[in-house]
Amino acid sequence: MSVDLTSQEDTNRRMLRARDEMDRRYAEPLDVPHLAAIAHLSASQFGRVFKSVYGETPHRYLQRRRVERAMTLLRQTDRPVTDVAWDVGFASLGTFSRTFSNVVGCSPTEFRAQHAPVAVPSCFIAAWTRPRTAATTVVSEKQAGVDPA
């Protein structure tokens, strides 16, 4: 039995495969031609399609994922900030600190001082503290005073 996918569904699946590869290998250098090959696109086309699907460039996505992992390491270990930067794939402490500050809003050292280790699974912490690019508010139709009819 074959499954016929729409063009958009096929594109989304291919982009998801490439994004999954980025998630698995976040600490390694970003190789756009390799990711584009996974998505069956040219390197330049990959960048445009990735941004249209995920709302950010592949580079920015990878940087954010690295910062998310660094947040966990800073919270749960006492390793030096430089070691954490290298562990998550940054080659420069300056680039790491600047990117971390842009995404999180404070330096890695300040973040560590403000966030003591928590005894809950790291997947919950990642979800609770995931950096958000835009503040959005979801309004429920079930709020008091709103008649769904």
Side-chain angles (χ1 to χ4, degrees), residues 76-109:
Q76 296 180 345
T77 70
D78 60 354
R79 301 198 62 209
V81 172
T82 304
D83 290 349
V84 169
W86 290 332
D87 288 347
V88 299
F90 284 92
S92 158
L93 179 60
T95 301
F96 170 68
S97 294
R98 183 176 54 254
T99 303
F100 191 97
S101 295
N102 287 341
V103 172
V104 179
C106 63
S107 73
T109 304

